[in-house]
Amino acid sequence: MSIGGTNDRKTLIDLIRNRIDEDTFEGKYEASVRKRVLFILLILTLSVVLFFVAIALGAVDIPLIDVLKAFGHRLLPGVVGAPSQDYYSDFIFKGRMPRMFLVILTGFSLGVAGMIMQGLLRNPLVSPFTLGVSTAASFGAAIAIVFGTTAIGVTLSGTIDLGIMYLEMGNILKILFAFAFAMVSIVLILLLSRGKNTSRSMVILSGVVISYLFQAGIMASKYFADDAQLREITLWIMGSMTGATWGTILILFPIVLLCGIFLFKTSVDINALSAGDDVASSLGVNVQSLRKKGLIVCTLMTAACLAFTGVIGFIGLMAPHICRMIIGNDSRYLMPAAGLMGVLILSVSDLFCRLIIRPGELPVGIVLYITGGIFFIWLIANKKWSQRI
Amino acid sequence: MKKAVMAIVTAVIVCTAAAGVYIIASGTGSGGETDGTISIVDGSGATITLSEPLTGVVTANTNIPKAMKILGLTDELKGLSFYTASTNQSNWDLYSPLFNKDVVHMPLIQSMTAESIVAMTGCKYIICPVTSMTITASQETSFKEFGITIIRLDCNGDSALDDLEKLTVLFGKTDKVVDAYDSYCRMYDGVVSTVTAAVAASPSTQDRTFLSYMSSLHAFYNETSAISVMTESIYGKNALRGTGLPLIGPTNPAGEMGTREVIKTKDSNRPIDKIFVRGTATTNTPSAALAVWQNVASVLPITGYDLSPAKTDEVYVFHTNIMSGMLSFIGYVAIAEVCGIDTGLSISDLIAAFNTAYGFTEATSGYVFKMTGGGTGFAKIA
């Protein structure tokens, strides 16, 4: 990767390694780029370390040597011996690894989606959560849980063995309904706020209104639910990573990858958008189209993850804000940084939830709500940052 | 002078109004005067005092109507109410023929109002479960304002016989009701004591372990649950003992990774011997039992973790009706049978006798299923 606009194009490694003359304009720019790149590398490193820590720790602690042996034995069975306990491999490859990959995909999606949505609507309080996507997904899940097959007028039951995962009909419906209603919410928002000169405020207001409508639907579903269904709805709304299987990862990975690539390609346009709709238009950006496509892709990515995890709140708000405080607002760097920060926040939270009352576990949503609340109280109370919101 | 007169008149009006409110309010108290001719402590610990025996009640959920039918109180049941919207009609179709033709199909429990109870049935008493699928605290407040008395009895699990006795007291302890109660207790105690004796005569299984799973809640029963206590009285120990899982309620969610890991660790250290799965009200065929098991597998996944009972076909699925409620004594026989203990009792004969004695139409088979072919199917045992 080359940095800089002069004839002397420098590589990323040069930028990190070489001394920079910050007295020059070019030096200042290179210094800021280096800071951003180093920050991204730092959170990437922390995420990788946390990945292995999360593999090792849990209801049953697996010694690090056995973790390494499990990986080594899987890759080179003739060379590396098996871990000391047979079930360690089961725990790692059938439970913890799919879970950590789900954490990575979900954290990345929510962090990126939050950052992109904030850039598109130029509002720092926008996220998939505040735009009603999570509420709509919760409504879909609630409908599936309470009314199940009667909601679609047919009787479906049983379990499908896909080889890589078992899917029980109730779970299939829950996933499909959650995803479908999340997408419906963004379509409704765009329909409500359509028009050539729709303001950003109108989009946000539409999201709030849609959120309230779906909230009413959730309350109605809870009213007609029995004890077991009510508990299931409540646990789904709290959000957790217990639904992680390799089949889940197989479904989510291509969605998150493709959406991530698309959104990264829009990061330059979002930089232009930060100067205002008029300035962006004059630079050749189709603002309405960018906003529409960006919101749909962000919703697609987050809805796919939320369908499996339930509601995971605040990451879409916290991750971009933390990164913005450190590396500024350049979307080309902010997007990967926000994605990785989302991974880091969700990894720490999920690990905490698995350890705090082990071998039991708390839903990760509880920790995120507490963390998110404290973070924003600090942000609001901190004069330096509250003015920037 | 004028001011003093006005002050006195105002005071008189205020006192009269207060007295009037007091008189009206005291007339809408929690039913019955304090003659105290009938008194019980219900399942929630509240003392229920009645001046005369109950003559008409509305019931919430399914165990209480069954208990009333056992006691021959079919004419006293005026209204039936259920909890789950999706099974409301099917429950009504199942239970209403067992009672008086005038019994009213009430609204769902959670949407029932005091007005609907009084208007539809004229009753001032409702019998509902203690905690599960029952009326809420705010409903209770409004019911009491209407003078409706709430009596909380589960008629299920540990308290089944006690609650049945309380019902006999509430309905006046007539000879007919007492005879019915005594007859049921003889049946219940007779079966349980026969099973207990057979267990005592069999080789000890205290070193064995089992898992008990509730399919509708996707959760394992821990050692505090009534079903675990029942099972441990016949066979081995609950495998969740000593795992450190929180004992907040009678069950622990099976989907949590921590739960799966500690169970797998335990199974690896010493293989778990059996898995008992409590099915649903529709688990009455081998294919239904297989569907229940696949549901279990989708949550755990058991196949992925290769728990020992799944490898040796030591997985049993039971119809929910014999694991709790008025037929729970059949559960003792079922567990003993699948554990190889010969009690000399036949599940189908017991249910036929139950039907004959109390006028029920319960099926005499389709209650116990055993895994076959490594989880590819289930066979009916009883």
Side-chain angles (χ1 to χ4, degrees), chain B residues 169-371:
Chain B
V169 172
L170 289 169
F171 284 96
K173 262 190 152 173
T174 61
D175 290 342
K176 185 182 112 178
V177 170
V178 171
D179 285 346
Y181 169 72
D182 288 342
S183 165
Y184 178 80
C185 285
R186 280 194 300 273
M187 179 183 281
Y188 188 104
D189 290 338
V191 168
V192 173
S193 57
T194 303
V195 171
T196 306
V199 169
S202 303
S204 171
T205 57
Q206 289 306 294
D207 59 337
R208 308 289 172 86
T209 54
F210 64 87
L211 284 171
S212 207
Y213 187 94
M214 184 175 185
S215 63
S216 60
L217 268 188
H218 304 304
F220 289 108
Y221 285 106
N222 58 45
E223 61 260 41
T224 65
S225 67
I227 284 183
S228 178
V229 170
M230 175 171 78
T231 310
E232 285 186 339
S233 71
I234 300 166
Y235 181 87
K237 294 285 174 217
N238 193 322
L240 293 193
R241 280 186 181 276
T243 56
L245 285 167
L247 299 175
I248 300 164
T251 57
N252 289 91
E256 288 180 0
M257 199 166 73
T259 306
R260 291 167 4 209
E261 287 183 357
V262 295
I263 288 172
K264 179 64 181 175
T265 305
K266 197 146 191 183
D267 187 52
S268 297
N269 293 335
R270 193 225 172 268
I272 295 170
D273 296 278
K274 294 185 192 297
I275 296 175
F276 303 124
V277 181
R278 177 181 171 184
T280 64
T282 55
T283 311
N284 51 12
T285 61
S287 57
L290 179 63
V292 164
W293 174 246
Q294 287 173 335
N295 180 313
V296 174
S298 76
V299 173
L300 278 177
I302 283 186
T303 50
Y305 279 94
D306 282 332
L307 289 178
S308 302
K311 289 188 225 175
T312 55
D313 284 349
E314 287 295 321
V315 176
Y316 302 89
V317 176
F318 301 102
H319 191 290
T320 187
N321 282 359
I322 63 168
M323 303 309 285
S324 71
M326 293 292 112
L327 282 175
S328 59
F329 61 94
I330 307 280
Y332 284 86
V333 180
I335 292 172
E337 189 166 327
V338 303
C339 295
I341 297 171
D342 183 10
T343 61
L345 296 170
S346 155
I347 290 175
S348 57
D349 290 346
L350 286 171
I351 294 181
F354 179 81
N355 287 342
T356 304
Y358 303 113
F360 285 95
T361 53
E362 304 284 341
T364 54
S365 67
Y367 290 98
V368 185
F369 304 89
K370 182 183 189 299
M371 178 186 271

Side-chain angles (χ1 to χ4, degrees), chain A residues 23 44 120 165 169 187 211 239 246 255 269 305 339 358-359 370:
Chain A
D23 290 333
L44 179 63
L120 288 174
M165 66 194 291
M169 195 53 65
V187 169
S211 183
W246 284 116
I255 296 173
D269 291 344
C305 292
R358 61 174 165 174
I370 295 171

Side-chain angles (χ1 to χ4, degrees), chain A residues 78-234:
Chain A
V79 176
V80 180
S84 56
Q85 298 288 346
D86 290 340
Y87 51 83
Y88 284 164
S89 292
D90 271 349
F91 288 178
I92 291 170
F93 295 111
K94 290 177 182 169
R96 296 182 187 186
M97 270 192 75
R99 185 175 181 127
M100 282 314 297
F101 278 114
L102 183 60
V103 165
I104 290 168
L105 291 172
T106 306
F108 182 83
S109 300
L110 291 172
V112 166
M115 175 255 143
I116 296 286
M117 284 179 168
Q118 286 163 19
L120 288 174
L121 299 174
R122 289 208 307 282
N123 186 314
L125 294 179
V126 160
S127 74
F129 191 68
T130 53
L131 270 189
V133 173
S134 301
T135 315
S138 302
F139 172 71
I143 290 284
I145 290 165
V146 177
F147 300 107
T149 56
T150 55
I152 54 175
V154 294
T155 304
L156 294 169
S157 62
T159 309
I160 298 172
D161 182 1
L162 298 175
I164 47 173
M165 66 194 291
Y166 260 115
L167 274 180
E168 191 259 332
M169 195 53 65
N171 280 336
I172 294 173
L173 285 177
K174 200 163 57 180
I175 291 163
L176 288 177
F177 275 46
F179 177 78
F181 277 97
M183 294 307 296
V184 162
S185 75
I186 200 66
V187 169
L188 283 174
I189 289 167
L190 291 173
L191 282 174
L192 275 176
S193 55
R194 70 179 168 206
K196 282 186 183 171
N197 298 311
T198 305
S199 67
R200 297 167 288 126
S201 311
M202 187 59 71
V203 177
I204 295 163
L205 193 62
S206 305
V208 172
V209 166
I210 297 292
S211 183
Y212 277 121
L213 285 174
F214 283 116
Q215 189 64 38
I218 295 169
M219 287 196 286
S221 302
K222 283 182 178 178
Y223 185 76
F224 289 107
D226 61 29
D227 283 1
Q229 291 166 343
L230 199 59
R231 181 168 172 79
E232 198 175 342
I233 293 172
T234 305

